[in-house]
Amino acid sequence: MNKPALLLAAGALLALVQQQLLLQRPPRLLELHSSTASSGPAALSLRFSRPMDRASLAERSQLQPALPHQWLGANNPLRLLLGANQPITGAIQLLISGVDQRGLALRPQRWSWDPRPRLLAVVPKGSGEQLQLLQRDGSWQPLSPEFERITAVTPLGDGSAIALASRDDQGERLWLLPLEQSTLQRGGQPGSRAVKAGPLRALLPERLIFTHLSSNQRGDLLVQWSAQALGRSITSFWPRQGNRQQLELEASGPMQLLPDGGALVMPELEGLSLRNLPGRPERRQLLPGSRDLSSFCPVSGRALLVRHWPDFRRSLELVEPGQPPRQLWLGGDAVLSTACDRGGERVWLLVSHWRDAQRSRLLEITRLGQIVRARDLTGWEVEPGVPMAYDPTRQQLLLTLRQQGRPDAQPVLIAVRDLTLQPLAKAVRQALWLPPG
């Protein structure tokens, strides 16, 4: 056999040996990250080096506490989904163990997983305001410098940063505050790492007249803004991966990115329209009528709308793909904010009497329009313009309320099982959830 043939044979033999060695290597966990869930409080996405036997993972893996859960997916990647209607009160200790489809065992791994969002607040500080975060141990951590006033705050939906607008005598500035946080810790150690804030950076050099912010679960950011030198409104879009783009859209009010990404909801004179974002085929779907988008539900395509009637009444509607809007409530009260669980099985509606803004009520409504619970918020005033937010991991609502006779508002947690109020002893201008990263 000549020398070239020997070299080829040796190369083929080496490749065969390497292939056999690789086939005998045990499977490895390549990626593990917390992800959003529409039918439960939280989920994990897992990607392995080889297709796994899902049944063995379900049998050998463990959660502490032993929360009901299920494994989803065909081969690789797989998804661990926590069951619905179970509050998460602390970090979950997770053991991942199983075999691949060849029967080779994955080296067991232990992780600590805390999917609960953290409470973020705009807090009065000296003569100005500051962004602060409530830590797991109950202490408050400053995140931002002190500003004269913070006028808008929107965390990016992937928890990687916070977009905010500040105002002083010269106008508004738009900022991005990067964050370093993790819901997962290797080794199964209890507790959670503190969130670390990066250097604050300006997103726009101009002094602005106004800003409206929106983000989605991908971490994209949409900003409607105007500067004195321009004399018109501009819509800028920062994709999570990519450079700033300007959208040639003219809306009659605030636009909102869809949570799943890829599109936005835009108010027009004729009604609400659904538009695709750049990179996707142009599309415009219109829902006619005088309606405002109030909030999104976790299940894709579901949202709550407030409809305005000619006789000054308002109604709350649940919109679902391919279905006409479903009316859940109709009345003469002012609708302050809404929230919903999963696909709208449970909806919470905050209303105030049109003659007396201090007479507010919180209602829980089913998707059939039945009021199952009501809480009179006598003695509390709702902070204007601050929305209600729902945390499915702990099954609680978050409101920013001011006790009558008190100078400052405070965060108030509301358990959805019975609508009981739990005020937190902290003076704030606004309270909201920071999505886990």
Side-chain angles (χ1 to χ4, degrees):
M1 185 179 290
N2 56 30
K3 187 174 181 179
L6 284 173
L7 291 175
L8 287 174
L13 180 61
L14 180 60
L16 181 61
V17 171
Q18 289 177 334
Q19 183 182 27
Q20 291 301 314
L21 290 174
L22 287 174
L23 287 173
Q24 295 306 312
R25 286 186 64 181
R28 292 171 295 125
L29 177 62
L30 299 180
E31 290 183 7
L32 175 66
H33 61 88
S34 187
S35 59
T36 56
S38 59
S39 58
L44 281 175
S45 294
L46 304 94
R47 187 170 70 86
F48 300 89
S49 61
R50 294 189 177 277
M52 299 294 293
D53 177 34
R54 192 181 70 188
S56 73
L57 283 168
E59 180 183 357
R60 301 185 186 186
S61 299
Q62 298 176 9
L63 272 69
Q64 184 62 39
L67 301 173
H69 63 280
Q70 57 181 320
W71 288 85
L72 304 175
N75 293 312
N76 193 23
L78 295 176
R79 188 170 166 88
L80 187 153
L81 178 66
L82 296 182
N85 299 323
Q86 51 180 344
I88 299 171
T89 58
I92 300 168
Q93 306 309 309
L94 173 64
L95 171 67
I96 304 174
S97 181
V99 299
D100 65 13
Q101 294 185 357
R102 302 163 302 154
L104 295 180
L106 173 77
R107 184 178 180 181
Q109 295 188 17
R110 294 187 179 275
W111 292 81
S112 178
W113 176 34
D114 195 342
R116 299 172 297 169
R118 300 172 189 259
L119 197 151
L120 178 68
V122 178
V123 176
K125 181 75 172 176
S127 59
E129 297 175 347
Q130 184 182 52
L131 270 183
Q132 294 186 13
L133 191 69
L134 180 61
Q135 295 286 15
R136 302 298 191 202
D137 61 4
S139 62
W140 286 88
Q141 172 191 355
L143 287 182
S144 74
E146 295 179 25
F147 295 99
E148 188 171 315
R149 188 180 170 207
I150 297 175
T151 56
V153 178
T154 295
L156 302 195
D158 63 352
S160 63
I162 301 171
L164 66 146
S166 66
R167 175 174 287 277
D168 57 23
D169 293 338
Q170 317 233 327
E172 285 195 359
R173 293 293 307 274
L174 181 63
W175 310 92
L176 189 71
L177 182 68
L179 297 178
E180 182 182 326
Q181 60 166 327
S182 177
T183 61
L184 290 156
Q185 291 187 54
R186 185 73 181 267
Q189 295 300 319
S192 300
R193 292 194 186 105
V195 176
K196 294 183 180 179
L200 189 72
R201 65 182 179 92
L203 278 181
L204 294 170
E206 298 93 338
R207 290 280 182 172
L208 309 179
I209 301 174
F210 77 91
T211 53
H212 173 74
L213 312 174
S214 176
S215 184
N216 57 27
Q217 293 168 358
R218 296 181 183 178
D220 302 328
L221 176 65
L222 183 79
V223 181
Q224 294 168 264
W225 59 279
S226 179
Q228 290 182 347
L230 297 173
R232 63 186 180 91
S233 176
I234 292 178
T235 301
S236 296
F237 177 64
W238 281 267
R240 181 70 180 90
Q241 302 292 337
N243 298 320
R244 171 189 164 193
Q245 304 172 35
Q246 184 168 319
L247 306 186
E248 301 301 327
L249 297 174
E250 294 186 9
S252 61
M255 292 185 273
Q256 299 287 343
L257 293 173
L258 290 189
D260 290 344
L264 57 83
V265 176
M266 181 174 123
E268 302 184 40
L269 295 178
E270 300 91 339
L272 288 176
S273 68
L274 183 67
R275 302 288 192 99
N276 277 349
L277 289 171
R280 303 184 65 183
E282 288 192 16
R283 179 182 65 162
R284 178 179 181 265
Q285 291 179 298
L286 182 69
L287 178 63
S290 179
R291 291 178 169 92
D292 297 326
L293 173 64
S294 182
S295 57
F296 291 107
C297 300
V299 173
S300 178
R302 275 70 170 180
L304 297 175
L305 309 179
V306 176
R307 185 171 185 178
H308 304 270
W309 294 89
D311 60 359
F312 301 104
R313 292 184 301 168
R314 297 167 183 85
S315 61
L316 182 66
E317 299 176 334
L318 174 65
V319 63
E320 303 173 277
Q323 300 290 330
R326 178 199 299 265
Q327 182 172 291
L328 304 180
W329 174 87
L330 175 68
D333 289 344
V335 175
L336 302 181
S337 57
T338 65
C340 56
D341 185 18
R342 289 175 288 178
E345 285 77 12
R346 292 191 297 177
V347 169
W348 297 277
L349 171 64
L350 183 62
V351 297
S352 68
H353 192 272
W354 66 278
R355 284 186 175 176
D356 185 358
Q358 296 182 5
R359 291 173 54 190
S360 300
R361 290 186 305 148
L362 178 62
L363 309 176
E364 181 182 333
I365 307 174
T366 69
R367 63 181 293 110
L368 299 178
Q370 300 170 329
I371 298 177
V372 293
R373 288 185 183 86
R375 172 68 63 180
D376 192 342
L377 299 182
T378 301
W380 294 93
E381 301 175 17
V382 180
E383 196 68 6
V386 181
M388 174 166 52
Y390 177 56
D391 170 19
T393 64
R394 284 166 288 199
Q395 297 187 4
Q396 60 186 2
L397 299 165
L398 172 63
L399 286 173
T400 306
L401 302 178
R402 185 189 305 268
Q403 218 165 3
Q404 290 178 7
R406 298 285 183 88
D408 293 310
Q410 59 191 110
V412 177
L413 303 174
I414 302 176
V416 299
R417 66 180 180 273
D418 53 12
L419 299 186
T420 55
L421 275 62
Q422 180 190 347
L424 301 184
K426 181 70 171 179
V428 301
R429 303 283 188 258
Q430 176 184 358
L432 63 162
W433 296 123
L434 174 67

